[in-house]
Amino acid sequence: LDLRGIFPPLATPFSPTQEVDYAQLEGNLHRYASIPFRGLVVLGSNGEYPYLAPRERLEVVSCVRRALPRDRLLLAGSGCESTQATIELTVSMAEAGADVALVVTPCYYRGAMTGAALVQHYTEVADASPIPVVLYSVPANTGLDLPLEAVLTLAQHPNILGIKDSGGDITRIGLMVHKTRQEDFQVLAGSAGFLLASYALG
């Protein structure tokens, strides 16, 4: 699955009563449909994923899939604090129409999230996932950077497609690109602020 291109992160709109505003979401999607993006990211940081109930997360994905042209890819956040919960939500996201699962690092017990623990977590999720998995490192929100050595190990997994790195460390991104050239692994810049520099690195 080729992820080259731009995937804007979709915000989740809310009504004045704090419910997900699905009508506004569909309106936003119609606007995005006229722009030749490769696809969309839903339920990432901009999608306010931590604040949605599980049923709302799935309904957002279903809503986006219905409105999104079939040739556009849908990357959906499915990372939870436990491995089992992440697997269950990832399977449900696939059933709701997601093409790729975007799995953020579990971070509540960040002191215990060693490289080995994260490799085990992501390996079990990728083994069980019916759709490809993209690692998601967003240290500004999690306080946890996915270690480079863990990324390099996970890059060898056949169902781990790549990483969305939102840390902004261009040296680290360059190392990931360079050290995974022999793998079927794609490195995505997680913010427009370092997108151009990331393109320059490959």
Side-chain angles (χ1 to χ4, degrees), residues 147-192:
L148 178 61
E149 289 306 315
V151 174
L152 300 182
T153 298
L154 292 165
Q156 301 172 52
H157 193 291
N159 201 34
I160 294 180
L161 197 57
I163 183 170
K164 178 187 176 196
D165 191 303
S166 296
D169 183 336
I170 293 300
T171 300
R172 171 185 154 89
I173 290 173
L175 283 170
M176 282 191 287
V177 170
H178 175 69
K179 290 179 176 287
T180 62
R181 286 212 184 274
Q182 303 306 314
E183 310 294 342
D184 185 15
F185 189 78
Q186 300 167 73
V187 180
L188 306 177
S191 177

Side-chain angles (χ1 to χ4, degrees), residues 13-28:
F14 293 90
S15 73
T17 57
Q18 301 180 35
E19 302 294 323
V20 176
D21 189 336
Y22 294 103
Q24 183 62 54
L25 178 60
E26 289 182 17
N28 292 345

Side-chain angles (χ1 to χ4, degrees), residues 113-149:
M113 292 297 103
T114 62
L118 290 166
V119 166
Q120 180 176 344
H121 170 73
Y122 279 110
T123 298
E124 290 183 21
V125 171
D127 285 346
S129 176
I131 53 178
V133 169
V134 167
L135 313 173
Y136 183 23
S137 183
V138 54
N141 291 354
T142 63
L144 178 69
D145 217 345
L146 190 54
L148 178 61
E149 289 306 315

Side-chain angles (χ1 to χ4, degrees), residues 59-80:
E59 185 53 41
V60 165
V61 170
S62 295
C63 178
V64 173
R65 184 71 275 173
R66 287 192 300 269
L68 196 64
R70 285 307 309 181
D71 64 338
R72 309 285 177 91
L73 293 175
L74 175 53
L75 281 64
S78 66
C80 301

